[in-house]
Amino acid sequence: MKERSLSGTAFDISNQLFMLIILAVMIIPFIYIFSYSLSSPNMLKGGLVLWPEGFTFDSFKRAFEYPAVLNGAFISIARSVLGPAIMLFITSMAAYVVSRPDLLGVKFFRRYFIFTLYFSSGIIPMYLLMGFLHLKGTFLIYVIPGAISVFNMVLIKTYIEALPKELSEAAVVDGANDIKLFFRVIFPICTPVFAAVVLFDCVNQWNSFMDVQIYNTMYPQLHSLQYVLYNMLNQFSTIEQLQEAGNRQRGSITPQTFKMAITVITILPIACVYPFLQKYFIKGLLIGSIKG
């Protein structure tokens, strides 16, 4: 018993040390980026920066002085709110439909949806389709193509199938049809999996810029924040370019601190939202994996 106790204690200690190393590997880069973006270039001496040297917001001020940043932030926030909301509404209803075993042809519909996970039309046919639907040059290009997500539909379907069947049977006995059953019984108790898929889609919408580059590159008013910051990184790659763009304090901003500030701007909103959805996110992914 003593030997097993010692071995168990050794395992626990080694496991905790390993997890601390993993935690440090994940957190230190974020601390470095955040600290570097708030540091004055004149105070930086190279090496790992874990605390701001010569605290300053000059890099952030310069980033937000760029006219397209605020418009890009509005577009990114709008698509990160409307896109997941529309996706959740349509995808959840599709998941409910394919979860009904008594639906005529349900096996065909399930295979039809799964087929799209393995095969896609490609960029050129998609581009032609968006042009035919007159979605290019509009905000709808960001939300309509992603209104249905088969991967999220599978997650929601699995969650619904894991719910007690007595709930649906009781609602049907009380006279509820499929619409009332879904919106009054199923929908309210699917919060964990809904939070998981919404977080997936929010992150995807916030980080997306390829659709802007493909469809709306000629429409600056529809550029997302990620695409605007991407262009800023390419445009302001030297100190001289930063000076010409309007920075009056020589040495207060360098391309490196400017890039770090832009990186913080892009990751901070998601980092602030994630902790509030984490418990639902984990529960939503694990639900249905253990039964009995």
Side-chain angles (χ1 to χ4, degrees):
M1 293 295 294
K2 184 177 180 180
E3 290 180 357
R4 274 192 282 179
S5 178
L6 289 175
S7 62
T9 302
F11 174 78
D12 290 340
I13 294 175
S14 60
N15 191 34
Q16 291 174 4
L17 289 175
F18 177 74
M19 295 306 296
L20 287 174
I21 293 174
I22 297 296
L23 181 63
V25 170
M26 296 175 63
I27 290 181
I28 288 178
F30 289 99
I31 297 177
Y32 171 76
I33 293 173
F34 189 73
S35 299
Y36 202 105
S37 65
L38 293 173
S39 299
S40 175
N42 298 328
M43 302 292 293
L44 293 173
K45 300 179 181 179
L48 188 63
V49 181
L50 298 179
W51 188 258
E53 301 289 342
F55 192 88
T56 178
F57 285 104
D58 289 343
S59 296
F60 289 94
K61 291 178 181 178
R62 181 67 201 101
F64 283 108
E65 286 174 0
Y66 196 64
V69 170
L70 293 179
N71 180 73
F74 174 78
I75 295 296
S76 291
I77 293 173
R79 66 179 296 180
S80 298
V81 173
L82 294 178
I86 296 174
M87 181 278 301
L88 178 63
F89 182 74
I90 297 178
T91 302
S92 61
M93 289 195 295
Y96 172 74
V97 170
V98 297
S99 70
R100 307 299 294 174
D102 55 343
L103 175 67
L104 182 63
V106 65
K107 292 184 179 180
F108 167 77
F109 289 113
R110 290 175 181 174
R111 293 169 182 170
Y112 174 80
F113 282 116
I114 294 299
F115 179 83
T116 62
L117 288 176
Y118 296 97
F119 300 94
S120 63
S121 60
I123 295 179
I124 295 178
M126 191 68 175
Y127 182 86
L128 296 176
L129 176 62
M130 294 300 105
F132 176 77
L133 296 176
H134 302 287
L135 292 178
K136 291 191 300 181
T138 68
F139 177 81
L140 294 177
I141 192 69
Y142 302 140
V143 296
I144 296 300
I148 179 70
S149 170
V150 177
F151 177 77
N152 293 338
M153 186 192 71
V154 172
L155 291 180
I156 300 174
K157 168 185 167 294
T158 304
Y159 188 101
I160 294 175
E161 290 177 340
L163 297 175
K165 295 182 179 179
E166 291 76 11
L167 292 173
S168 300
E169 293 174 354
V172 172
V173 170
D174 291 337
N177 54 24
D178 284 319
I179 296 178
K180 291 183 178 179
L181 176 60
F182 175 70
F183 285 105
R184 295 188 179 182
V185 179
I186 303 298
F187 197 91
I189 59 179
C190 289
T191 302
V193 70
F194 287 167
V197 299
V198 164
L199 184 59
F200 277 143
D201 205 53
C202 279
V203 173
N204 181 62
Q205 288 281 7
W206 181 263
N207 290 330
S208 180
F209 74 94
M210 285 301 298
D211 50 1
V212 184
Q213 191 170 27
I214 295 174
Y215 303 113
N216 287 342
T217 186
M218 301 301 295
Y219 304 92
Q221 70 277 12
L222 295 174
H223 287 180
S224 65
L225 180 62
Q226 299 287 349
Y227 189 71
V228 171
L229 298 180
Y230 168 77
N231 289 334
M232 291 174 67
L233 286 176
N234 293 331
Q235 182 179 356
F236 303 138
S237 59
T238 66
I239 296 178
E240 289 75 13
Q241 289 173 334
L242 286 171
Q243 297 288 340
E244 293 175 0
N247 178 37
R248 303 301 181 187
Q249 300 175 354
R250 179 173 294 274
S252 62
I253 302 176
T254 64
Q256 189 67 11
T257 58
F258 189 67
K259 292 178 181 179
M260 295 298 183
I262 290 177
T263 303
V264 172
I265 293 172
T266 58
I267 65 177
L268 194 58
I270 295 298
C272 292
V273 171
Y274 182 80
F276 298 99
L277 299 177
Q278 183 179 14
K279 61 179 181 179
Y280 299 110
F281 177 74
I282 296 175
K283 185 177 180 181
L285 291 181
L286 294 180
I287 203 73
S289 60
I290 301 176
K291 299 191 176 180

